[in-house]
Amino acid sequence: MSHPILSEFDIVFAGGGTTACVVAGRLAAYDPSLRILILEAGQHTLNKPIHQ
Ligand SMILES: Cc1cc2nc3c(=O)[nH]c(=O)nc-3n(C[C@H](O)[C@H](O)[C@H](O)COP(=O)(O)OP(=O)(O)OC[C@H]3O[C@@H](n4cnc5c(N)ncnc54)[C@H](O)[C@@H]3O)c2cc1C
């Protein structure tokens, strides 16, 4: 069983951690037409010292 929105994407990453972000970025650079979804459960770390 899958959620209908998932069919709108070519690739879905469960978890937006290091691995997913690196691989998604490289795939997007290789083929910008790819529709990539990253599902992240944690809170964002943008501009937080631990992120930088
Ligand atoms: C304190 C600390 C310092 C570190 N320092 C370094 C360093 O200096 N250099 C280095 O190379 N490595 C360092 N590491 C190790 C590095 O962080 C990990 O090896 C790396 O992040 C692992 O990447 P990952 O993509 O496998 O997992 P993660 O980066 O942990 O990504 C997994 C993601 O999945 C998400 N997730 C989990 N469950 C779900 C769910 N059900 N639905 C959606 N999302 C979900 C999590 O929120 C997380 O964002 C450090 C680790 C720690 C804890």
Side-chain angles (χ1 to χ4, degrees):
M1 179 168 44
S2 69
H3 194 283
I5 197 171
L6 296 181
S7 64
E8 297 179 23
F9 296 91
D10 299 307
I11 300 169
V12 177
F13 288 93
T18 309
T19 308
C21 289
V22 168
V23 174
R26 291 184 180 179
L27 287 170
Y30 178 77
D31 183 355
S33 72
L34 281 174
R35 297 166 302 174
I36 301 173
L37 173 67
I38 298 177
L39 295 169
E40 171 54 44
Q43 56 184 281
H44 75 76
T45 58
L46 185 64
N47 297 326
K48 291 187 177 177
I50 193 171
H51 177 92
Q52 296 168 351

